[in-house]
Amino acid sequence: MERILEVNDLRVNFKVRGGTVQAVRGVNFHVNKGETVAIVGESGCGKSVTAQSLMRLVPSPPAVTTGSIRFKGEEILSKSKREMENIRGKEMGMIFQDPMTSLNPTLTIGKQITEGLVKHQNMSESAAKARAVEMLKLVGIPNPESRVNQYPHEFSGGMRQRAMIAIALACNPSLLIADEPTTALDVTVQAQIMGVLKDLQTKLGTSIILITHDLGVVADAADRVIVMYAGKVVESGKTRDIFKNPKHPYTRGLLRSVPRLDQKKDEPLIPIFGTPPDLIKPPAGCAFCARCDEAMRVCLPNDPVLVPVEGEGHTAACWLNHPLAGEGGESA
Ligand code: SF4
């Protein structure tokens, strides 16, 4: 399978008044052509910073990004500003949680779609306008011929998110990064937007990185899931394996905290107690230790690394997966 993105030992540090926040701490993953990979975790786990650093959108300073991000074989971290602008317009697209903050309120939706086409694809204004209408149709906006001339405030929340998708995909990028694309929407519209993304992916062959705090959203949408906690990947694998056979207590906690289709009527949702650790001084051992109800003595001083577990490509970083786990394992 063709890999379009390969991330190795990605680290992002932010200098703040109290020290250095280690927001991303040595993350490795890849994305294949036409695949959807979800990066999941609570807010502050480093998923959005990871996504933004793929497009070099993390402001530097204060951030320092190290490691390697290879996109279509080329190192993103050594690209110039101008090269990145080109890549962002043409090769990578991004959609955000709140389209109102990323759409320009003073330009029509059509203008916002055609801008990129004229700039990056050298299209004439009329060809770009025809493509804009086609894109609005593809994302399911009714009457695209007249809607193309309207402004963002004339669209509903769900329509604005569809328009954002149309803008991001107009130049047919190889990679779309969707950062909490449905969080601000109600459940029915969420499902519609995820359906639009899936349809377009099939039609255009785009790879998608879906960033979300809600594991419920990824069940039908993602091929693989990467679970992040305290700036690190703690589990990754095929979506089916993550849902059926989670191997990290944090993943199990995330699954218990969201509604599932197979959930019994009276089964309560259980939030994960406690808060993530301070990433100015991350703990030496397992960062989930203080919140983990399965913690053992080994967990407090020793940080587990990702190891292969049951399932193809399935890995988890938890001492419970060590062959000697349970033997003399007292509670922490
Ligand atoms: Fe819990 Fe220990 Fe596994 Fe960390 S390593 S998640 S503390 S059991």
Side-chain angles (χ1 to χ4, degrees), residues 30-313:
H30 69 272
V31 179
N32 294 321
K33 189 172 186 323
E35 182 183 43
T36 298
V37 175
I39 305 183
V40 181
E42 293 162 295
S43 65
C45 71
K47 59 187 190 305
S48 286
V49 178
T50 298
Q52 285 163 14
S53 61
L54 302 179
M55 291 183 88
R56 292 260 305 274
L57 290 174
V58 183
S60 170
V64 179
T65 306
T66 58
S68 168
I69 300 168
R70 292 191 80 78
F71 175 63
K72 292 178 137 183
E74 293 189 25
E75 180 55 57
I76 284 290
L77 292 182
S78 57
K79 296 274 178 209
S80 68
K81 263 191 177 165
R82 176 167 293 193
E83 286 171 323
M84 271 323 293
E85 265 168 32
N86 245 325
I87 290 175
R88 279 199 286 266
K90 231 170 29 187
E91 301 274 4
M92 289 184 182
M94 188 155 189
I95 54 175
F96 302 91
Q97 177 177 335
D98 181 7
M100 253 342 227
T101 55
S102 25
L103 288 172
N104 185 334
T106 66
L107 295 178
T108 63
I109 295 292
K111 186 73 190 159
Q112 296 184 59
I113 301 177
T114 57
E115 264 185 340
L117 293 167
V118 172
K119 188 173 167 196
H120 299 295
Q121 314 250 323
N122 293 326
M123 269 192 189
S124 66
E125 284 288 347
S126 60
K129 181 100 182 253
R131 171 81 173 151
V133 171
E134 186 193 325
M135 285 309 299
L136 290 181
K137 200 170 173 187
L138 268 180
V139 296
I141 291 190
N143 307 318
E145 291 83 2
S146 56
R147 287 287 194 172
V148 78
N149 297 316
Q150 292 185 325
Y151 290 86
H153 74 267
E154 296 175 88
F155 279 48
S156 68
M159 294 275 226
R160 282 197 286 266
Q161 198 53 288
R162 285 171 193 256
M164 269 297 293
I165 296 172
I167 295 168
L169 291 181
C171 291
N172 204 359
S174 311
L175 179 67
L176 176 73
I177 300 172
D179 192 356
E180 303 274 7
T182 61
T183 302
L185 306 170
D186 70 48
V187 182
T188 320
V189 185
Q190 271 188 14
Q192 290 168 356
I193 295 293
M194 292 314 298
V196 167
L197 276 177
K198 200 80 206 154
D199 269 9
L200 282 175
Q201 180 177 45
T202 314
K203 283 187 190 127
L204 306 173
T206 321
S207 303
I208 298 178
I209 295 181
L210 174 64
I211 310 291
T212 178
H213 68 281
D214 182 353
L215 255 178
V217 169
V218 311
D220 297 321
D223 300 297
R224 284 189 294 124
V225 177
I226 293 169
V227 182
M228 282 189 73
Y229 185 75
K232 290 189 175 189
V233 175
V234 294
E235 182 161 7
S236 78
K238 292 191 169 167
T239 308
R240 188 188 53 230
D241 290 329
I242 297 285
F243 275 76
K244 291 240 152 81
N245 192 18
K247 289 291 188 185
H248 196 287
Y250 179 60
T251 313
R252 290 197 277 272
L254 285 178
L255 284 167
R256 280 194 298 263
S257 65
V258 296
R260 295 185 321 272
L261 283 177
D262 61 345
Q263 194 153 0
K264 294 187 190 91
K265 236 181 167 182
D266 49 359
E267 198 181 320
L269 297 179
I270 307 168
I272 305 172
F273 72 87
T275 50
D278 178 2
L279 291 182
I280 292 182
K281 273 194 198 131
C286 174
F288 191 56
C289 197
R291 306 172 75 188
C292 180
D293 51 16
E294 298 175 72
M296 302 166 288
R297 195 191 277 177
V298 64
C299 309
L300 195 60
N302 301 295
D303 196 11
V305 294
L306 282 168
V307 293
V309 290
E310 259 175 275
E312 190 196 330

